[in-house]
Amino acid sequence: RKEVEQDPGPFNVPEGATVAFNCTYSNSASQSFFWYRQDCRKEPKLLMSVYSSGNEDGRFTAQLNRASQYISLLIRDSKLSDSATYLCVVNGPSARQLTFGSGTQLTVLP
Amino acid sequence: GAVVSQHPSRVICKSGTSVKIECRSLDFQATTMFWYRQFPKQSLMLMATSNEGSKATYEQGVEKDKFLINHASLTLSTLTVTSAHPEDSSFYICSASKGGGQPQHFGDGTRLSIL
């Protein structure tokens, strides 16, 4: 089993749609959770951290369920510029290391 | 603004050449930096953890004599791909964290092409 598993994608959605990505992780000791986005041939950039209480940043909402070891990202009112690969990232196996999911590709269509 | 700088961004060289990539933390001290590699359409894979003042910790399957890491100061880690071959062509990215559970910030990455 992969340490971090994501929806395989790809997701092709029209502008304005709402899209949700899911992610599960296997290390129950993980304490930090993030969503990064990676544009084609670029480095990953932090989109948002994920907190236990859930958090929102504009059109983006992240949720964490520690009991189920599950993380989600919701994007509302999709824009063309949201097209990217979204990476679910969990800290571990050591506290300072990060483990990346394989990413979910999103394409927002005009 | 950028907090981690990586250089060079693009390298094209002949097989057998050694290539050095630099990773700098710009406004904080990083006792630990990370080196990743990403092949096309694949996820980032951690290669090694670079520890300031001590030996790097390599992930399973990564040859330490092939990928030399030096972390001589709190703001600079270097990765040298020794005697590079075409199969070493990849996107190499470094990252660093300000610590305390904060997220990692990535350098711009180095696209290495070995002919």
Side-chain angles (χ1 to χ4, degrees):
Chain A
R1 182 187 172 189
K2 288 184 182 178
E3 293 182 46
V4 179
E5 292 202 63
Q6 293 186 239
D7 282 350
F11 286 70
N12 299 314
V13 303
E15 260 187 297
T18 296
V19 60
F21 303 141
N22 303 317
C23 170
T24 57
Y25 61 95
S26 61
N27 184 358
S28 59
S30 294
Q31 295 295 320
S32 302
F33 310 90
F34 310 97
W35 284 101
Y36 281 76
R37 70 169 277 169
Q38 186 175 24
D39 294 290
C40 187
R41 300 172 72 83
K42 298 282 190 180
E43 79 281 13
K45 291 187 186 293
L46 178 67
L47 179 64
M48 58 196 305
S49 300
V50 186
Y51 303 117
S52 296
S53 54
N55 49 299
E56 187 175 307
D57 182 2
R59 298 181 291 108
F60 300 87
T61 301
Q63 297 278 351
L64 168 64
N65 184 321
R66 286 187 185 271
S68 302
Q69 295 180 201
Y70 171 94
I71 306 162
S72 66
L73 176 68
L74 183 77
I75 305 175
R76 292 182 299 277
D77 189 22
S78 300
K79 310 291 185 191
L80 296 176
S81 57
D82 294 334
S83 298
T85 296
Y86 289 82
L87 303 169
C88 175
V89 184
V90 176
N91 86 299
S94 74
R96 293 189 179 196
Q97 287 182 325
L98 294 181
T99 301
F100 287 79
S102 56
T104 301
Q105 186 176 350
L106 171 67
T107 301
V108 180
L109 305 168
Chain B
V3 296
V4 176
S5 170
Q6 189 172 339
H7 178 81
S9 59
R10 185 83 165 98
V11 180
I12 302 173
C13 55
K14 294 180 180 179
S15 185
T17 307
S18 292
V19 178
K20 180 187 280 189
I21 304 170
E22 294 187 349
C23 181
R24 295 179 185 275
S25 56
L26 296 181
D27 61 354
F28 64 99
Q29 294 181 333
T31 55
T32 305
M33 293 185 178
F34 301 92
W35 287 97
Y36 296 84
R37 181 169 53 182
Q38 186 177 34
F39 291 106
K41 297 186 185 287
Q42 295 188 24
S43 184
L44 276 79
M45 296 300 295
L46 180 65
M47 297 176 66
T49 302
S50 174
N51 305 299
E52 188 269 334
S54 64
K55 292 182 180 179
T57 306
Y58 289 83
E59 295 301 299
Q60 192 173 8
V62 178
E63 299 174 56
K64 61 180 181 180
D65 296 328
K66 171 79 172 176
F67 300 98
L68 301 179
I69 291 173
N70 184 284
H71 195 154
S73 79
L74 286 169
T75 58
L76 174 64
S77 174
T78 62
L79 168 69
T80 302
V81 184
T82 61
S83 187
H85 290 97
E87 59 266 29
D88 298 322
S89 299
S90 187
F91 190 45
Y92 293 84
I93 316 176
C94 70
S95 74
S97 170
K98 296 181 180 180
Q102 293 195 43
Q104 289 183 18
H105 297 277
F106 288 84
D108 291 341
T110 298
R111 198 159 298 280
L112 177 63
S113 299
I114 307 298
L115 306 176

